[in-house]
Amino acid sequence: MKFVVVALLAAVATAAPQYGDSRPQARFDSLEEVAILRDDRVIEDDGRYNFDVETANGIVMSEAGSPTGLEGAINSAGSFSYTAPDGTPVSLQFVADENGFQPQGAHLPVAPEFPHPIPQFVLDQIAFAAEEDAARARGELRGASQPSGRYGAP
């Protein structure tokens, strides 16, 4: 019985926080209230909606949507903007439809322009794969390079 009590005490002591709260601190105190300057929402019976929200700390959001997608899916478009903690203004516009979520904003990363130079090792691998496909079509590949066409027990 003494062993059980000592083990429980050791478990509790081990589980207790040792160095205080290590979670990152929020930029704003959670008790801080931010005034909502504008909150306009319209929801129609046919599924269309529209909302505009603006807060005193500079957040602005706007979105509109309607069930015009495939099988009644909602297509929407909108934007939001805010000031990042480093003071940088951030603005994003988006469309969400049958092609997915499509954001646009100056702060988003941009892929390199295409066509960009393709490294030689990639071109070599593409050529090798084409040669393998041609050999497989002619029936010249045997062994591990060719799929067995049947499943076996592991």
Side-chain angles (χ1 to χ4, degrees), residues 2-28:
K2 290 181 184 177
F3 175 75
V4 172
V5 171
V6 171
L8 286 173
L9 286 174
V12 168
T14 304
Q18 300 294 317
Y19 304 105
D21 190 3
S22 62
R23 293 178 294 171
Q25 297 299 313
R27 180 170 175 228
F28 298 106

Side-chain angles (χ1 to χ4, degrees), residues 58-80:
I59 298 172
V60 178
M61 298 180 355
S62 178
E63 183 175 333
S66 61
T68 56
L70 298 174
E71 298 180 18
I74 295 180
N75 291 344
S76 61
S79 64
F80 62 85

Side-chain angles (χ1 to χ4, degrees), residues 25-44:
Q25 297 299 313
R27 180 170 175 228
F28 298 106
D29 186 356
S30 61
L31 299 177
E32 180 181 354
E33 292 183 19
V34 177
I36 297 175
L37 304 177
R38 181 171 44 113
D39 188 354
D40 299 327
R41 299 169 191 254
V42 177
I43 301 174
E44 302 290 344

Side-chain angles (χ1 to χ4, degrees), residues 115-141:
H116 54 79
I118 298 174
Q120 186 59 45
F121 75 91
V122 173
L123 296 172
D124 295 343
Q125 185 63 38
I126 292 170
F128 178 74
E131 290 171 13
E132 273 190 327
D133 290 344
R136 185 174 290 116
R138 293 187 305 265
E140 297 174 1
L141 282 182

Side-chain angles (χ1 to χ4, degrees), residues 108-119:
L108 297 175
V110 178
E113 288 188 32
F114 197 80
H116 54 79
I118 298 174

